[in-house]
Amino acid sequence: MERRLPVILISCVLSVIIQIPAVADIGQNELIRFALWAPLEAYPGTEEAAHILTPDGNPFLYPISRLKAVAPFFVEGMVCGWTFSYTPSDTTRNVAEYFEVKPLYNLNDLGQPVTYTEPWIQDERLYCWVEYRCSSRTSAWRNLWHSPEYQKISGKGQGLLIDGFDGIKTAATEALKQAVREYVRKLVKNKPQEITGEVVICREPRIGIVSGRYVVDLDFFLNVSKIIQYSVY
């Protein structure tokens, strides 16, 4: 059930706690906008629930802190993109799986603010619209990814609900790994030694909860930089 009574209070707290200071207009263009939510309460049974949920009598500080952590992470993936390095596991070669993700660019270096608007409460969650106004430069960068040479891939990952933001980040990383793995399986016959490349999130993130775990569903534009095969002797 949706509730909008505390909107003024939440809006004030969001603007004070979350918004990045505005900077001079550098040629704003495309607006990225997607809805995001955070649970109103900390995960039941954890110590966190006892002291983070209502410090200073503010019942919204916990969900706002979660929105503050999660939103820039996804905006970064949609605006700057991520670079990845993936080594599939190979038991015959005694190789452990390795997957690393890093931002292509730092969102804070771009100078544009992430803003949060129109908060509402529904199903014991705090929702809001996350907005990021791209500069002409970042908008042009995003448009480059719509070229036919870049593949569109999709993946779904999971992370522990009790881990908060880290659980969402784990789920997003797993979603990317799954998407890359499925794409490369169709591309090469033998398991490669390493795959490197870059991606940009091309659609709003879908976040749900199933059996105590976050489930994150993501779509990407993919550029494969290199696929290294094992040497054959």
Side-chain angles (χ1 to χ4, degrees):
M1 179 178 180
E2 183 177 335
R3 288 185 286 146
R4 294 183 178 273
L5 290 178
V7 165
I8 296 178
L9 171 61
I10 298 172
S11 297
C12 291
V13 178
L14 278 169
S15 63
V16 171
I17 295 181
I18 295 182
Q19 287 194 14
I20 300 171
V23 297
D25 185 357
I26 57 174
Q28 294 180 341
N29 197 339
E30 179 186 9
L31 176 66
I32 293 174
R33 188 174 193 257
F34 60 93
L36 193 65
W37 61 267
L40 286 177
E41 296 184 358
Y43 191 80
T46 65
E47 182 181 353
E48 185 178 40
H51 66 276
I52 293 186
L53 180 57
T54 57
D56 302 324
N58 183 351
F60 302 114
L61 192 56
Y62 174 79
I64 287 174
S65 69
R66 287 294 171 259
L67 289 170
K68 181 181 179 181
V70 173
F73 171 73
F74 284 116
V75 171
E76 183 178 69
M78 299 173 78
V79 176
C80 305
W82 298 330
T83 180
F84 67 87
S85 176
Y86 179 35
T87 299
S89 64
D90 192 323
T91 55
T92 61
R93 294 182 171 89
N94 197 29
V95 174
E97 182 180 73
Y98 173 80
F99 191 76
E100 182 180 40
V101 179
K102 295 180 179 179
L104 272 165
Y105 303 100
N106 191 315
L107 183 65
N108 291 332
D109 292 341
L110 300 182
Q112 295 296 90
V114 177
T115 57
Y116 304 78
T117 64
E118 303 175 35
W120 73 95
I121 295 173
Q122 183 176 342
D123 300 328
E124 301 305 317
R125 296 173 179 177
L126 172 61
Y127 286 81
C128 72
W129 288 100
V130 177
E131 298 181 352
Y132 184 86
R133 179 74 66 175
C134 294
S135 68
S136 56
R137 179 167 59 93
T138 54
S139 185
W141 159 256
R142 279 174 46 80
N143 288 336
L144 287 175
W145 285 91
H146 290 269
S147 169
E149 66 183 287
Y150 300 124
Q151 298 296 318
K152 187 174 181 179
I153 60 174
S154 300
K156 185 181 295 185
Q158 297 187 8
L160 292 176
L161 182 63
I162 196 172
D163 288 343
F165 167 63
D166 287 338
I168 292 179
K169 188 174 182 179
T170 295
T173 301
E174 287 293 319
L176 175 55
K177 183 176 70 175
Q178 181 196 68
V180 171
R181 181 173 59 228
E182 292 304 313
Y183 173 75
V184 172
R185 281 178 176 174
K186 300 174 183 178
L187 196 65
V188 298
K189 181 178 180 180
N190 298 319
K191 185 180 294 187
Q193 180 179 353
E194 183 183 11
I195 308 109
T196 58
E198 302 86 32
V199 295
V200 163
I201 300 175
C202 59
R203 183 184 171 191
E204 69 279 359
R206 283 85 68 198
I207 305 173
I209 296 176
V210 176
S211 301
R213 290 178 176 269
Y214 285 111
V215 178
V216 176
D217 193 352
L218 297 174
D219 298 323
F220 306 92
F221 286 127
L222 166 70
N223 175 50
V224 176
S225 302
K226 187 182 299 183
I227 298 178
I228 301 175
Q229 298 284 3
Y230 286 101
S231 300
V232 178
Y233 296 97

